[in-house]
Amino acid sequence: MRTLLSLPLSILLLLANFINHAIAIEIDVTNKDSLTHAAWVFAHGLMTYYNGNQTGQTPGKFVSPYYWWEAGAAWGSLIDYWFYTGDDTYNDQVKSSLLFQVGTDNNYMPTNESTSEGNDDQAFWGFTVMAAAERNFSNPDTNQPQWLALAQAVFDTMASRWDTSTCNGGIRWQIFQFNGGYDYKNTISNAGLFMMAARLARYTDNSSYVDWAERTWNWTESVGFLDTESYYFYDGAHTYDNCTDITKYQWTYNAGIFMAGSAYLYNYTGSSLWANRTQSILDSITVFFDSGTGIMYEAACEISKTCDVDEKAFKAILARFMGLTAVLAPFTYNTIYDHLVQTVHGIAQSCVGGLDNVTCGTTWLDVGWDNTWGLGQQMSALEVVQNLLVRDVPAPYTAATGGSSPGIATNVSGGENVKVFTTGDRAGAGILTSVALLMMLGSSWWIVL
């Protein structure tokens, strides 16, 4: 006899949706306990995709098909989850994961990720260890790399890839020449450099990081990835045509990162320039909120149901950085609060799927679950909900206001430790890439026998 439990998972999930389509998770946005409970539900759902603590698996990485960058982003969500709610259930796993993935040079360039790691991927791990420093997350033992030092190392390696051989500057999407996308310069990679510079400037009180943030913003604007009339950020362009044919997709996370980076710089410098830029980006992100319901959505792919695995996580990044923006640039708080509250209503009506009745799908625009699930969907719901708690906790710490993470001596002025690539450097880089590729092939030839 075939029982309900013997049915395929996909059928069970569909049945659960039919049974529970009218049930909504209750979230009272005016009640801290309600928001905390909802965050707990979504954090638990997020961790159901983690198997790195199981025998034979890799600490810090989530189940397939989730790429390494998304793991870094997820650990950042859980650091904030602890900070906003006080629940330290996942802190040990977060800490061990962040330390396991640092790589041999303590800069989040692990060898096992060299076939796919891009500048944007490295940046998301940098964001997370920067958050660990700003939140006073439990510091590693003294014989281990420290959060601030790791963030500085990520910045240093990213800045060293500034490339004037094409497009008059900027950094490429990919780090290694043998990876597809090396011939593409995109907004997200440069947003990562901008964000790291802005946060390190504020935390360390080193204005040289501001210089790098300004350099990155100015390049993004001059190359046309930022439309200064609409304040829309576009995806990127190829280097073989000198970045003249821009791919004009708009993604939530590009706007979110540049907005929060501007808020960090406003908070640090007090400059009206950064206040105005913060406000202009905030005004522009209405494109990511449904005009009727006010609910957040990924405009480039969600309505057409074409979002890939990565893109289903982008709303999480926008929500996270909306929360930070609201704290660092308080004049934005009311607008951001309204956006998040309206989105929570969508989450409450649609995160009702799965066997647990609280699994989230990709879209929150419809009543009921859309029969999709994944790490990105859970992380996105978690970030929206927990960022309604930003006023219940201190603003991100700095070294001067209670931050305890030690850093490293670093040169951020463009000197000997920060190399700007020019056309003449391409040959040398090509040789190094070829050597790396031969080493990879030489160490793995037996796999294909």
Side-chain angles (χ1 to χ4, degrees), residues 43 46-47 50 52-53 59-62 71-83 87-102 108 125 127-129 131-133 135 137-140 144 147 150 320 382:
L46 182 156
M47 285 300 289
Y50 183 61
N53 55 353
K61 294 186 69 172
F62 285 72
W75 299 126
S77 294
L78 290 172
I79 286 176
D80 279 353
Y81 169 73
W82 155 73
F83 194 70
D87 180 6
D88 63 0
T89 300
Y90 307 113
N91 284 17
D92 288 345
Q93 289 180 81
V94 173
K95 187 174 184 178
S96 62
S97 295
L98 292 179
L99 292 173
F100 189 87
Q101 291 291 333
V102 296
Y108 288 103
W125 288 82
F127 296 167
T128 295
V129 290
R135 303 303 198 190
F137 189 67
S138 174
N139 287 323
Q144 295 176 309
W147 307 133
L150 287 166
R320 177 189 304 174
L382 171 62

Side-chain angles (χ1 to χ4, degrees), residues 148-150 152-153 156 204 206 209 406-412 416-418:
L148 177 59
L150 287 166
Q152 290 173 302
D156 287 348
T204 65
N206 184 340
Y209 287 113
I408 56 175
T410 181
N411 175 12
V412 293
E416 61 181 11
N417 292 335
V418 178

Side-chain angles (χ1 to χ4, degrees), residues 73-409:
W75 299 126
S77 294
L78 290 172
I79 286 176
D80 279 353
Y81 169 73
W82 155 73
F83 194 70
Y84 291 141
T85 69
D87 180 6
D88 63 0
T89 300
Y90 307 113
N91 284 17
D92 288 345
Q93 289 180 81
V94 173
K95 187 174 184 178
S96 62
S97 295
L98 292 179
L99 292 173
F100 189 87
Q101 291 291 333
V102 296
T104 55
D105 294 327
N106 295 335
N107 58 7
Y108 288 103
M109 293 280 293
T111 304
N112 287 346
E113 301 301 325
S114 61
T115 58
S116 63
E117 183 177 354
N119 279 300
D120 53 344
D121 305 319
Q122 186 186 20
F124 276 99
W125 288 82
F127 296 167
T128 295
V129 290
M130 192 71 239
E134 293 172 339
R135 303 303 198 190
N136 263 346
F137 189 67
S138 174
N139 287 323
D141 293 339
T142 55
N143 63 340
Q144 295 176 309
Q146 304 298 305
W147 307 133
L148 177 59
L150 287 166
Q152 290 173 302
V154 167
F155 169 83
D156 287 348
T157 52
M158 292 183 69
S160 74
R161 302 182 194 117
W162 189 264
D163 169 31
T164 59
S165 68
T166 61
C167 311
N168 199 34
I171 60 175
R172 295 172 182 255
W173 176 22
Q174 293 298 318
I175 297 170
F176 301 107
Q177 290 185 358
F178 53 76
N179 285 335
Y182 184 76
D183 64 351
Y184 196 72
K185 290 187 177 180
N186 60 356
T187 297
I188 186 57
S189 296
N190 288 279
L193 179 61
F194 173 75
M195 172 63 87
M196 292 302 298
R199 294 173 83 161
L200 285 166
R202 179 179 177 273
Y203 191 95
T204 65
D205 192 22
N206 184 340
S207 62
S208 294
Y209 287 113
V210 177
D211 297 339
W212 268 100
E214 290 175 341
R215 173 186 293 187
T216 308
W217 177 284
N218 292 340
W219 178 83
T220 304
E221 180 180 324
S222 66
V223 79
F225 293 176
L226 165 63
D227 182 326
T228 53
E229 291 191 9
S230 63
Y231 268 78
Y232 292 162
F233 288 89
Y234 300 127
D235 186 74
H238 288 94
T239 58
Y240 53 67
D241 59 12
N242 210 37
C243 296
T244 56
D245 185 13
I246 297 173
T247 303
K248 291 194 173 181
Y249 289 126
Q250 295 179 65
W251 302 108
T252 50
Y253 70 166
N254 283 329
I257 293 170
F258 268 103
M259 180 171 66
S262 298
Y264 270 96
L265 291 167
Y266 162 71
N267 188 272
Y268 175 55
T269 67
S271 168
S272 61
L273 173 67
W274 292 112
N276 292 335
R277 287 173 171 174
T278 302
Q279 184 64 55
S280 294
I281 301 173
L282 178 59
D283 293 342
S284 78
I285 65 171
T286 54
V287 70
F288 301 120
F289 294 86
D290 180 71
S291 59
T293 63
I295 296 169
M296 186 192 297
Y297 72 108
E298 195 65 57
C301 63
E302 192 169 309
I303 301 300
S304 60
K305 299 182 180 180
T306 57
C307 298
D308 65 21
V309 169
D310 288 341
E311 292 156 8
K312 291 172 182 175
F314 290 175
K315 289 184 294 188
I317 309 307
L318 174 58
R320 177 189 304 174
F321 290 125
M322 287 174 71
L324 281 169
T325 299
V327 170
L328 295 165
F331 57 86
T332 67
Y333 178 84
N334 289 339
T335 301
I336 287 174
Y337 178 83
D338 289 343
H339 279 316
L340 294 178
V341 165
Q342 290 171 319
T343 299
V344 165
H345 295 319
I347 289 172
Q349 73 182 8
S350 59
C351 290
V352 295
L355 298 177
D356 58 4
N357 305 339
V358 288
T359 293
C360 291
T362 303
T363 184
W364 305 321
L365 297 175
D366 303 324
V367 176
W369 182 44
D370 67 0
N371 299 315
T372 68
W373 60 90
L375 175 61
Q377 291 92 320
Q378 293 300 130
M379 181 164 55
S380 295
L382 171 62
E383 287 286 9
V384 171
V385 168
Q386 68 185 16
N387 275 284
L388 285 171
L389 296 169
V390 292
R391 280 192 165 177
D392 295 323
V393 295
Y397 295 113
T398 69
T401 62
S404 62
S405 183
I408 56 175

